[in-house]
């Protein structure tokens, strides 16, 4: 039986004062819930997250990572550095990285590998744009994104990773995929993994992301292959994030 997992992606929001409130509230609000919880903060606030969350049932992580181990890569942050700050998770392949910062499937696979090698758990995002959905190529796109990681890191690597299906058209738009639409793609992801390794597929946590809110979380997470959520906007409001964790 897979455990439910709810991860917050704060994106580029917050400051020391607002984060403190949010972290303290989340820590207290999810204590005792039988669900895995994490928050992915901007890099400068990882130490703050560690200080507030250490010893709680909330893990923390980053939103991106360099594909390089170390060296002359100005502005980049390595997986080892994230490990130094106690990160358990790191998001790789978020659609905002893919579309605004040129993270190709190959770069995403390299970042996934770098995260794994440093002992972090990648939260590996896949998902189609609106244009791709309308052209009926969702399955092709998601399979291509998955296959890039499987080819580089091997199927066994997914035993120590989390996949997040985030349809780009549902991110920050208030337009959620219906439970049926999301379930269809989640099943496709699990089937693709099962073709390589049924055991890995059965244990793989597949999160849904894209306008998940307290009002739709329960129905989405009730689907057979939806094992939790990757939450953007609602992760910035403590009561909403806690309500989603409770729904899980
Ligand atoms: P929203 O929940 O704001 O749609 O963002 C989803 C997301 O991109 C999480 O990574």
């Amino acid at each position: 039986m897979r455990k439910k997992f709810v991860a917050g992606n704060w994106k580029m929001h917050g400051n020391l004062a607002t984060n403190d409130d949010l972290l303290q509230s989340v820590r207290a609000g999810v204590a005792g819930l039988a669900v895995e919880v994490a928050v992915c903060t901007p890099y400068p606030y990882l130490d703050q997250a560690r200080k507030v969350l250490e010893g709680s049932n909330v893990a923390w992580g980053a939103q991106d990572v360099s594909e390089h181990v170390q060296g002359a890569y100005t502005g980049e942050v390595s997986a080892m550095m994230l490990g130094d700050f106690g990160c358990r998770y790191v998001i790789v392949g978020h659609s905002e990285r893919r579309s605004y910062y040129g993270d190709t499937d190959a770069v995403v696979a390299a970042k996934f590998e770098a995260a794994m090698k440093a002992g972090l758990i990648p939260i590996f995002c896949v998902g189609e744009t609106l244009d791709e959905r309308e052209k009926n190529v969702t399955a092709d796109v998601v399979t291509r994104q998955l296959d890039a990681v499987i080819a580089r890191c091997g199927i066994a690597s997914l035993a120590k990773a989390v996949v997040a299906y985030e349809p780009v058209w549902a991110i920050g738009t208030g337009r959620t995929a219906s439970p049926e639409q999301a379930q269809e793609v989640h099943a496709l992801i699990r089937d693709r993994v099962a073709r390589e390794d049924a055991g890995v597929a059965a244990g793989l946590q597949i999160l849904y992301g894209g306008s998940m809110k307290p009002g739709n979380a329960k129905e989405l997470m009730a689907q057979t292959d939806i094992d939790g959520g990757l939450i953007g906007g609602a992760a910035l409001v403590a009561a909403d994030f806690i309500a989603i964790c409770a729904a899980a």
Side-chain angles (χ1 to χ4, degrees), residues 9-13 16 19 39-50 60-67 75-83 85 87 89-92 97 103 111 120:
N9 173 8
W10 289 7
K11 308 193 180 184
M12 199 171 74
H13 293 291
L16 283 172
N19 296 347
V39 292
C40 295
T41 75
Y43 292 135
Y45 301 122
L46 288 171
D47 194 47
Q48 184 186 22
R50 164 162 62 179
W60 58 96
Q63 301 169 15
D64 190 29
V65 66
S66 173
E67 67 269 45
E76 290 292 278
V77 174
S78 75
M80 187 272 296
M81 293 170 186
L82 298 180
F85 284 88
C87 289
Y89 296 99
V90 62
I91 298 172
V92 300
R97 301 297 318 173
D103 284 14
K111 289 183 172 188
L120 302 176

Side-chain angles (χ1 to χ4, degrees), residues 9 11 94 96 166 170-173 209-213 230-234:
N9 173 8
K11 308 193 180 184
H94 192 280
E96 288 148 21
E166 296 209 318
I171 295 176
T173 57
S211 300
M212 194 186 269
K213 308 280 179 217
L230 182 56
I231 319 300

Side-chain angles (χ1 to χ4, degrees), residues 82-118:
L82 298 180
D84 264 353
F85 284 88
C87 289
R88 181 169 163 82
Y89 296 99
V90 62
I91 298 172
V92 300
H94 192 280
S95 69
E96 288 148 21
R97 301 297 318 173
R98 292 179 188 265
S99 62
Y100 306 148
Y101 300 99
D103 284 14
T104 59
D105 290 336
V107 168
V108 173
K111 289 183 172 188
F112 182 106
E113 183 175 52
M116 296 226 72
K117 283 191 167 158

